[in-house]
């Protein structure tokens, strides 16, 4: 796969598909991690004299403009981080986009409005996507794919456009792929995987594939209650996917046959309601009261998980251990993050809520081997799926 180092970009319009899908509180960015992760590619292109046109999505608008999902605050923050003005087009491929791109000089940077404001971006109709990709391509001479968080989507700005312009991968995608190969090829063992988040169903494919690769799998978060129920335990009003119990039971049996250690919590923080100020306390994982819901793994589980990670040489972590946004239920996630900081393992934090938790809880990002920008993309890669955005860049 070519990278931007293989392109002659001086004086050329380079369309960069970045991942700028940051969380917003109104117009305030609450975590700019993805913007900062995009800087090396954007800065390198600008310094080499390219006219950089950045396109990205934010949230899930319905294929039409929605002020709540405007990239205007992101463009402003990008300018602050680059230390130079960044132009902003108020549409994706319309008059503002054309005028903004035409006004760029060598080394200048512009951001187009949310690419998902156009229905052609996410259309399942290849012709409609192709038409929109053609309109984007008309704004540029070269295409650089660098939005790793979107490469598992067959979208116009991720997939179709690479077939319309000379293209290469940006530094972020190249780095993410290097890391994922370390998790799938010649892995240094012991290899431990920590899975959390809300739903088992979101992780079925990755569990299935990792049963062939991992030495131990630690499970927390909302998904753990389906595992506990599969073992016959009461889980009260905790999040539960009853339809997945047979699948989970089959995974546990398969893990036992293969010698893969499944590590489940021994205690949980159970609350009377889903609220920070709800009555709560620590109970045994196999004795959750019928009127309580588990919202975090307990302190003994945190110690157990840390012990299971202590000798690991490779760790992949995707999904928080509890509702870390509420302080009473942040202990489990904090314990796992600290265990990775203390470990000598090559640790990969698999994007999404896990990456947000690391930053929210005040950990130094440099203390981890790699913090991914794409949770869904990382999981699909580890499932063994073909990622459309990567397939297109390799074409």
């Amino acid at each position: 796969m070519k990278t931007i180092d293989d392109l002659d970009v001086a004086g050329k319009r380079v369309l960069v598909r970045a991942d700028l899908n940051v969380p917003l509180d109104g117009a305030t960015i609450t975590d700019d991690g993805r913007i900062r992760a995009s800087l090396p590619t954007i800065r390198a292109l600008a310094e080499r004299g390219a006219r950089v046109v950045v396109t990205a999505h934010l949230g899930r608008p319905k294929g039409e403009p929605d002020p709540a999902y405007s990239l205007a605050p992101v463009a402003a923050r990008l300018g602050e981080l680059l230390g130079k003005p960044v132009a902003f087009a108020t549409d994706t491929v319309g008059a503002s986009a054309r005028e903004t791109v035409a006004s760029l000089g060598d080394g200048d940077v512009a951001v187009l409005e949310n690419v998902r404001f156009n229905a052609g971006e996410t259309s399942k109709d290849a012709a409609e996507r192709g038409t929109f990709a053609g309109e984007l391509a008309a704004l540029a001479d070269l295409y650089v794919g660098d939005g790793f968080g979107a490469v598992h989507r067959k979208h116009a700005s991720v997939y179709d456009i690479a077939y319309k312009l000379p293209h290469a991968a940006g530094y972020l995608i190249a780095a993410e792929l290097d890391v994922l190969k370390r998790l799938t090829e010649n892995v240094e063992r012991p290899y431990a995987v920590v899975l959390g988040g809300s739903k088992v169903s979101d992780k079925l494919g990755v569990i299935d594939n990792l049963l062939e690769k991992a030495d131990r799998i630690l499970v927390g978060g909302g998904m753990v209650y389906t595992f506990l129920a599969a073992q016959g335990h009461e889980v009260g009003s905790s999040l539960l996917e009853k339809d997945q119990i047979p699948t989970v039971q089959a995974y546990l049996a398969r893990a036992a046959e293969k010698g893969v250690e499944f590590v489940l919590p021994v205690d949980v923080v159970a609350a009377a309601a889903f609220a920070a100020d709800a009555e709560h306390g620590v109970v045994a994982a196999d004795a959750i009261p019928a009127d309580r819901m588990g919202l975090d793994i307990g302190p003994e589980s945190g110690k157990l998980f840390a012990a299971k990670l202590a000798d690991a040489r490779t760790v992949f972590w995707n999904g928080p251990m509890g509702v870390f946004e509420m302080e009473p239920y942040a202990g489990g996630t904090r314990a796992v993050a600290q265990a990775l900081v203390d470990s000598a393992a090559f640790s990969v934090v698999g994007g999404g809520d896990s990456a947000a938790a690391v930053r929210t809880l005040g950990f130094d990002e440099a203390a981890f081997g790699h913090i991914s920008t794409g949770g869904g993309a990382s999981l699909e890669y580890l499932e063994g799926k073909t990622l459309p955005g990567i397939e297109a860049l390799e074409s």
Side-chain angles (χ1 to χ4, degrees):
M1 181 190 296
K2 286 184 178 180
T3 71
I4 60 171
D5 292 337
D6 300 307
L7 297 178
D8 176 12
V9 300
K12 295 180 180 176
R13 300 169 301 163
V14 181
L15 185 73
V16 178
R17 185 19 164 127
D19 180 8
L20 305 178
N21 187 27
V22 296
L24 290 174
D25 181 5
T28 302
I29 297 167
T30 57
D31 181 355
D32 67 358
R34 283 177 168 162
I35 304 175
R36 287 185 285 110
S38 299
L39 289 177
T41 292
I42 295 170
R43 184 177 283 129
L45 290 169
E47 288 176 350
R48 288 167 53 193
R51 304 178 180 196
V52 185
V53 183
V54 181
T55 187
H57 76 278
L58 179 66
R60 297 185 177 182
K62 307 294 186 182
E64 58 186 27
D66 183 339
Y69 298 108
S70 175
L71 281 173
V74 175
R77 180 58 178 153
L78 177 61
E80 291 172 359
L81 292 169
L82 287 173
K84 61 188 292 182
V86 169
F88 180 65
T90 57
D91 57 27
T92 55
V93 291
S96 179
R98 293 191 295 272
E99 291 167 7
T100 300
V101 173
S103 70
L104 294 178
D106 295 355
D108 288 346
V109 178
V111 173
L112 305 182
E113 184 55 284
N114 192 334
V115 74
R116 289 188 181 174
F117 283 1
N118 190 301
E121 167 67 1
T122 59
S123 176
K124 296 189 183 305
D125 183 277
E128 186 177 4
R129 282 200 323 272
T131 297
F132 180 50
E135 293 175 307
L136 284 171
L139 299 171
D141 305 300
L142 302 169
Y143 170 72
V144 170
D146 206 37
F148 181 73
V151 293
H152 57 313
R153 308 295 188 193
K154 188 177 268 191
H155 290 172
S157 69
V158 176
Y159 175 78
D160 303 83
I161 192 168
Y163 295 97
K164 297 182 180 293
L165 289 172
H167 55 267
Y171 291 144
L172 176 59
I173 278 185
E176 294 273 12
L177 290 179
D178 284 345
V179 166
L180 288 170
K181 286 175 182 176
R182 288 185 65 175
L183 296 177
T184 54
E185 302 172 10
N186 302 314
V187 181
E188 191 174 357
R189 298 183 180 281
Y191 178 18
V193 175
V194 186
L195 296 176
S198 59
K199 295 182 178 179
V200 172
S201 52
D202 292 340
K203 306 286 196 305
L204 291 178
V206 75
I207 293 172
D208 186 63
N209 207 32
L210 287 172
L211 279 171
E212 306 297 325
K213 295 180 171 65
D215 297 303
R216 62 185 71 122
I217 299 175
L218 289 63
V219 181
M223 64 185 285
V224 79
Y225 304 103
T226 301
F227 278 84
L228 293 173
Q231 293 182 325
H233 303 311
E234 168 67 53
V235 297
S237 57
S238 307
L239 187 63
L240 174 63
E241 291 182 278
K242 288 184 178 179
D243 60 321
Q244 300 299 339
I245 288 177
T247 302
V248 167
Q249 289 172 329
Y251 283 157
L252 291 171
R254 201 168 121 213
E257 291 172 6
K258 290 184 169 293
V260 176
E261 184 180 10
F262 251 103
V263 183
L264 301 179
V266 293
D267 61 350
V268 302
V269 180
F274 188 83
D277 59 357
E279 183 182 345
H280 62 274
V282 178
V283 300
D286 59 359
I288 300 173
D291 62 347
R292 294 289 177 111
M293 62 176 66
L295 295 180
D296 192 16
I297 64 172
E300 291 305 313
S301 300
K303 294 175 186 175
L304 171 65
F305 282 24
K308 294 294 183 180
L309 295 171
D311 69 337
R313 301 302 301 174
T314 304
V315 179
F316 173 71
W317 172 29
N318 181 279
M321 297 294 98
V323 188
F324 72 91
E325 299 90 343
M326 301 179 189
E327 181 53 36
Y329 319 118
T333 303
R334 187 179 287 112
V336 167
Q338 187 63 54
L340 296 190
V341 170
D342 295 340
S343 168
F346 173 63
S347 57
V348 178
V349 181
D353 288 341
S354 309
V358 164
R359 290 189 278 266
T360 299
L361 297 176
F363 287 90
D364 180 0
E365 293 181 48
F368 302 87
H370 179 73
I371 297 181
S372 177
T373 57
S378 295
L379 286 176
E380 291 200 13
Y381 186 98
L382 293 178
E383 286 179 41
K385 290 184 177 180
T386 297
L387 305 182
I390 301 302
E391 177 185 34
L393 289 175
E394 291 175 338
S395 67

